[in-house]
């Protein structure tokens, strides 16, 4: 296995229980279900952009700010909740985070106006990053170190499956019975997830010697900030496209709006494929996986912008974009955890802060080019440019990692 020279092979010094067979399967399913609920609430709103805008009496661009509000909640909540929960046993922490997530999403059902919905979406985003970060570490402690990338990918697989099943189903329900049904479905998923984690995930203590101060040391690592910046810029391009996928498909490609849920399902299938491959790539080489994923994003987003007026290639590229985006996630998660080995909980959660800064950045920049009159294809070309910048940052991160490794060796 071609591990990066600078990457530590351990996941945590805390005691853990490795599982196998059905016990491992059910524990992973329980953790991944949380990702399924989170992915459904994060991405379904993009497919219900027009319905939500009509209900709240706002424009599509203003609805895009609901995406940004959720993303801002992730950015704020990930470091704060992870640091505050540093001494809490990890299983207990993910249970609390899932309970918070469930209640916050249910509150969106009753949002009486746009401002209330903005606040509700912000609150729903708060536990997102902390949940994924701690769940990824939990999954990694259940398997040998050589399978860490795959364990992380298994948790992220819930996010991918959400785009195959959760997002299309919720989008269909939203189009048929009212877009707020998405929040009821997500609340139900959150409640079932809580029960499954309680039943199937073994007890996992906090990291030995964990404290708020120790977790915050992750923020002093230059490698952590470089890895985060790579994710922010690279995924910013991805979300510039995906945030406006519904109007792109209807106004540019010419598909009926009833086709949107099916296309979102196609995107989700791509995400599942990308997650499975991405976990193995991360076990082969963390930095190599990042280079491959960002390069693919540059190429295929540019092509998407060029062919978006034609249905067949657009549908194919929706699948490809889902796959290339998911390739990047397990490797970024592993890179952040390796960059702060004594503060892994916070470092792991920062991956989702980075991805949701990217979410907010992409949605905002996409709205800007659309509002400027450049059309719905403009976000694709913007996205390709941002992904290229992400690739350059990834290369710089890799060079810095080699220099640090050489310095330690000397």
């Amino acid at each position: 296995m071609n591990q990066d020279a600078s990457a530590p092979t351990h996941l945590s010094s805390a005691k853990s229980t490795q599982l196998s067979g059905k016990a491992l399967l059910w524990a992973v399913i329980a953790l991944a279900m949380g990702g399924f609920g989170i992915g459904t609430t994060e991405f379904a709103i993009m497919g219900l952009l027009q319905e939500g805008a009509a209900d709240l009496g706002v424009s599509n661009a203003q609805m895009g700010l609901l995406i940004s509000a959720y993303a801002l909640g992730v950015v704020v909540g990930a470091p704060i909740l992870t640091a505050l929960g540093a001494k809490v046993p990890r299983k207990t922490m993910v249970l609390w985070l899932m309970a918070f997530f469930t209640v916050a999403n249910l509150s969106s059902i009753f949002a009486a106006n746009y401002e209330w919905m903005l606040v509700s979406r912000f609150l729903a985003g708060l536990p997102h990053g902390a949940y994924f970060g701690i769940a990824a570490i939990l999954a990694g402690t259940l398997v040998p170190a050589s399978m860490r990338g795959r364990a992380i990918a298994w948790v992220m697989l819930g996010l991918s499956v959400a785009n195959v099943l959760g997002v299309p189903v919720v989008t269909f329900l939203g189009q048929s019975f009212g877009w707020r049904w998405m929040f009821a479905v997500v609340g139900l998923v959150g409640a079932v997830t809580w029960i499954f984690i309680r039943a199937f995930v073994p007890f996992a203590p906090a990291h030995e010697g964990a404290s708020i101060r120790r977790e915050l040391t992750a923020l002093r690592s230059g490698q952590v900030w470089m890895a985060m910046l790579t994710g922010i810029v690279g995924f910013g391009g991805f979300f510039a496209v995906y945030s406006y996928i519904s109007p792109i498909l209807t106004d540019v490609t010419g598909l009926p709006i009833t086709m949107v849920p099916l296309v979102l399902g196609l995107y989700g299938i791509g995400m599942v494929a990308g997650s499975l491959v991405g976990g193995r790539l991360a076990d082969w080489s963390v930095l190599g996986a990042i280079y491959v994923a960002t390069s693919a994003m540059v190429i295929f987003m540019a092509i998407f912008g060029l062919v978006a007026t034609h249905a067949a290639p657009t549908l194919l590229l929706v699948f490809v974009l889902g796959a290339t985006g998911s390739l990047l996630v397990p490797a970024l998660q592993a890179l952040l955890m390796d960059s702060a080995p004594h503060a892994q909980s916070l470092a792991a959660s920062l991956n989702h802060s980075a991805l949701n800064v990217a979410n907010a950045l992409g949605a905002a920049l996409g709205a800007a080019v659309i509002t400027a009159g450049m059309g719905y294809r403009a976000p694709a070309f913007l996205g390709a440019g941002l992904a290229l910048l992400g690739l350059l940052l990834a290369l710089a991160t890799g060079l810095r990692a080699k220099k640090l490794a050489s310095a330690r060796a000397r």
Side-chain angles (χ1 to χ4, degrees):
M1 185 178 299
N2 180 22
Q3 294 280 355
D4 295 88
S6 62
T9 57
H10 69 282
L11 184 71
S12 171
S13 61
K15 295 179 181 178
S16 61
T17 303
Q18 291 190 2
L19 302 178
S20 60
K22 289 184 178 179
L24 176 60
L25 175 63
W26 282 107
V28 167
I29 288 174
L31 294 171
M33 280 181 63
F36 179 84
I38 289 171
T40 301
T41 197
E42 181 178 18
F43 293 113
I45 198 167
M46 298 172 187
L48 293 168
L49 202 71
Q50 289 139 302
E51 289 82 2
D55 178 41
L56 295 172
V58 298
S59 68
N60 285 344
Q62 286 175 297
M63 277 297 292
L65 294 179
L66 289 184
I67 300 170
S68 298
Y70 181 92
L72 181 61
V74 181
V75 174
V76 172
I80 292 176
L81 295 180
T82 303
L84 290 176
K87 294 185 177 182
V88 179
R90 286 169 174 162
K91 176 179 177 178
T92 304
M93 189 63 183
V94 294
L95 286 170
W96 277 107
L97 290 167
M98 188 47 54
F100 187 104
F101 171 81
T102 301
V103 173
N105 272 277
L106 290 175
S107 73
S108 297
I109 299 173
F110 308 103
N113 51 49
Y114 177 70
E115 292 74 21
W116 182 351
M117 187 64 75
L118 273 174
V119 173
S120 179
R121 295 303 294 164
F122 172 79
L123 293 175
L126 288 174
H128 175 134
Y131 176 85
F132 269 123
I134 298 172
I137 292 176
L138 264 175
T141 63
L142 302 179
V143 298
S146 61
M147 294 178 63
R148 181 185 64 160
R150 275 165 281 183
I152 293 171
W154 293 337
V155 174
M156 300 303 157
L157 196 60
L159 192 68
S160 303
V161 173
N163 283 275
V164 179
L165 297 176
V167 172
V169 169
V170 167
T171 303
F172 172 76
L173 289 174
Q175 290 177 344
S176 303
F177 305 106
W179 76 294
R180 293 174 192 253
W181 270 96
M182 66 170 282
F183 304 116
V185 173
V186 170
L188 176 62
V189 171
V192 174
T193 298
W194 192 94
I195 294 169
F196 272 52
I197 292 174
R198 179 72 183 268
F200 298 116
V201 176
F203 174 79
H207 193 287
E208 186 177 342
S211 67
I212 294 176
R213 178 176 294 181
R214 184 170 181 173
E215 288 297 327
L216 291 177
T217 61
L219 299 177
R220 296 205 300 261
S221 168
Q223 276 304 92
V224 165
W225 286 103
M226 288 289 288
M228 285 182 64
L229 193 57
T230 299
I232 289 168
V233 175
F235 262 96
F238 173 81
F239 281 113
V241 178
Y242 193 64
S243 296
Y244 301 96
I245 192 67
S246 179
I248 289 171
L249 293 172
T250 57
D251 293 10
V252 178
T253 312
L255 297 176
I257 196 167
T258 53
M259 283 286 293
V260 171
L262 296 176
V263 179
L264 293 177
L266 184 63
Y267 167 83
I269 294 171
M271 283 190 70
V272 171
S275 292
L276 294 173
V277 175
R280 290 188 174 274
L281 279 178
D283 282 334
W284 162 68
S285 170
V286 171
L287 288 167
I290 294 173
Y291 301 152
V292 169
T294 50
S295 298
M297 289 168 69
V298 173
I299 295 168
F300 291 114
M301 277 194 286
I303 297 174
F304 180 81
L306 292 172
V307 304
T309 54
H310 304 283
T314 296
L315 294 177
L316 175 61
L317 283 165
V318 165
F319 169 85
V320 173
L321 289 178
T324 55
S326 291
L327 277 178
L328 185 56
V329 177
L332 273 177
Q333 186 87 72
L335 179 61
L336 280 162
M337 291 160 63
D338 291 340
S339 299
H342 300 296
Q344 287 191 333
S345 294
L346 181 57
S349 71
L350 288 175
N351 187 34
H352 297 276
S353 287
L355 297 184
N356 281 272
V357 170
N359 193 337
L361 177 70
L365 290 177
V369 296
I370 292 168
T371 304
M374 298 180 187
Y376 282 116
R377 285 201 292 176
F381 300 116
L382 169 69
L386 288 172
L388 177 60
L389 182 55
L391 172 60
L392 296 176
L393 287 167
L395 292 169
T397 303
L399 289 173
R400 190 175 189 277
K402 288 182 180 180
K403 289 180 180 179
L404 290 172
S406 296
R408 284 195 293 268
R410 287 196 300 269

